[in-house]
């Protein structure tokens, strides 16, 4: 039996879009999968289509076919939505809605990543300068061997250390990257970053955007939004909303009969008031899908504004750090040169 295949969100969005378009055009699902298996540009999509063909031909439903073919982080959420759409004969709109959810989430994540470009450039620039010191500038610096100026001696110590232990630094860097890429450590770093003022704001509104998109998706699919409340709340993934708070909110809504807005106000008061206002309006008017869409747009705008603010702060700070680093080495070299070759 073939193991489920893991797809990136971008490829998953492409798969859902292709399936929704071909189903909307009236093409049967087996024929759609055969077409994907033969013509899809990405090899992983071709492999998934072939595996889905195999599962579908064995008599499984579309939802069960996906369950056994794809290794998804949000598998239960997606399958619950697709299962409801399959039973209601509305598979195509659910696939289209999931495609929209994934593409909107990816677009917002790209904007967030842009805010981290300058720190990465700073790090790469510093690494390049250090490499230049070790392999290019070292022979020229040797002429300053007789200098006793403190800054020049620091420059000598830096170059000699890097020449002797560059491989240790490289291994340490690789270890740090590998360690950070681990899921547990990534979550810890994310939790720590969420406590920083602007970055915490970005993470919070990004989580609210995901919450709104999921709530809208549940509403559009015809499922009870209460069924997906816990999943949607977990998508916020921010310290202001703990696991205990999520369970208390779910209990207040299910067992005590409170509205979602009332439960949030009682058990998650640190969430933005506008979130509760939108949910209160949605529950009172019954227009959950429309108001959740507006909430998602509002959250996306907040993320965009916060990323712009971070960029405006990081850009001059990055240039300052690079300038100080380069300036130190130039000054150290010139002072040493002046000491051994006085005018």
């Amino acid at each position: 039996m073939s193991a489920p295949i893991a797809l990136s969100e971008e490829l998953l969005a492409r798969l859902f879009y292709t399936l929704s378009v071909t189903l909307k055009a009236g093409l049967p699902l087996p024929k759609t999968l055969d077409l994907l298996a033969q013509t899809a540009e990405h090899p992983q999509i071709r492999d998934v289509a072939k595996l889905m063909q195999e599962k579908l031909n064995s008599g499984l439903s579309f939802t069960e076919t996906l369950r056994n073919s794809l290794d998804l982080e949000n598998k239960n959420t997606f399958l619950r939505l697709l299962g409801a759409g399959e039973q209601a004969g509305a598979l195509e709109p659910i696939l289209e809605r999931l495609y929209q959810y994934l593409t909107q989430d990816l677009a917002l994540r790209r904007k967030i990543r842009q805010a981290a470009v300058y720190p990465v450039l700073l790090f790469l620039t510093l690494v390049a300068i250090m490499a230049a010191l070790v392999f290019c500038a070292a022979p020229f610096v040797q002429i300053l061997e007789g200098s006793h100026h403190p800054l020049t001696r620091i420059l000598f110590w830096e170059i000699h250390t890097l020449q002797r232990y560059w491989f240790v630094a490289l291994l340490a860097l690789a270890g740090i990257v590998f360690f950070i890429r681990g899921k547990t450590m990534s979550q810890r770093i994310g939790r720590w970053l969420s406590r920083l003022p602007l970055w915490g704001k970005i993470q919070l509104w990004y989580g609210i955007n995901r919450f709104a998109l999921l709530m809208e998706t549940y509403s559009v699919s015809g499922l009870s939004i209460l069924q997906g409340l816990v999943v949607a709340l977990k998508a916020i993934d921010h310290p202001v909303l703990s696991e205990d708070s999520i369970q208390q909110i779910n209990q207040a809504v299910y067992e005590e009969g409170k509205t979602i807005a009332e439960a949030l106000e009682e058990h998650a008061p640190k969430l933005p008031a506008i979130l509760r206002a939108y949910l209160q309006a949605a529950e009172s008017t019954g227009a959950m899908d429309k108001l959740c869409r507006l909430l998602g747009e509002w959250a996306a705008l907040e993320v965009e504004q916060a990323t712009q603010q971070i960029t405006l702060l990081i850009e001059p700070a990055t240039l300052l750090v690079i300038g100080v680093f380069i300036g130190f080495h130039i000054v150290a070299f010139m002072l040493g040169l002046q000491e051994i070759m006085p005018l």
Side-chain angles (χ1 to χ4, degrees), residues 24 120 129 148 154 168 217 227 255 332:
K24 184 185 292 186
V120 173
I129 292 173
H148 299 284
I154 293 175
V168 176
T217 302
Q227 294 179 351
E255 299 180 9

Side-chain angles (χ1 to χ4, degrees), residues 19-20 22-23 26-36 52-53 56 60-63 65 86 91 95:
L19 290 173
S20 67
T22 52
L23 289 175
L27 200 65
L29 185 57
K31 184 64 177 177
T32 298
L33 293 174
D34 182 61
L35 187 65
L36 276 174
M52 289 180 66
Q53 275 185 307
L56 199 64
L60 295 179
S61 65
F62 176 75
T63 306
T65 295
E86 188 175 14
L91 190 57
L95 285 167

Side-chain angles (χ1 to χ4, degrees), residues 7-15 98-114 206 209-210 213 303:
L7 290 182
S8 65
E9 286 197 3
E10 186 175 356
L11 291 178
L12 186 62
R14 194 184 303 179
L15 175 65
L98 288 176
Y99 160 73
Q100 293 172 357
Y101 166 78
L102 290 169
T103 52
Q104 291 175 29
D105 184 61
L106 285 168
L108 197 58
R109 237 189 293 176
R110 289 192 186 102
K111 292 180 181 179
I112 295 174
R113 288 192 185 118
Q114 289 174 359
Y206 169 68
N209 174 265
R210 296 189 69 186
L213 291 176
V303 170

Side-chain angles (χ1 to χ4, degrees), residues 91-168:
L91 190 57
E92 175 269 318
I94 299 300
L95 285 167
E96 184 177 2
R97 181 59 207 146
L98 288 176
Y99 160 73
Q100 293 172 357
Y101 166 78
L102 290 169
T103 52
Q104 291 175 29
D105 184 61
L106 285 168
L108 197 58
R109 237 189 293 176
R110 289 192 186 102
K111 292 180 181 179
I112 295 174
R113 288 192 185 118
Q114 289 174 359
V117 168
Y118 282 108
V120 173
L121 289 178
L122 169 61
F123 177 76
L124 293 177
T125 301
L126 295 180
V127 170
I129 292 173
M130 289 182 178
L133 284 172
V134 174
F135 299 107
C136 301
F140 299 97
V141 177
Q142 297 303 321
I143 64 175
L144 307 178
E145 192 69 44
S147 174
H148 299 284
H149 194 281
L151 293 183
T152 307
R153 301 314 303 175
I154 293 175
L155 180 61
F156 274 122
W157 174 84
E158 179 185 349
I159 291 176
H160 291 159
T161 301
L162 289 174
Q163 284 179 328
R164 292 178 182 177
Y165 304 109
W166 63 268
F167 60 93
V168 176

Side-chain angles (χ1 to χ4, degrees), residues 277-289 291-292:
Y278 268 100
L279 290 174
Q280 186 175 11
E283 290 176 291
S284 61
T285 61
M288 182 63 72
D289 56 338
L291 285 166
C292 282

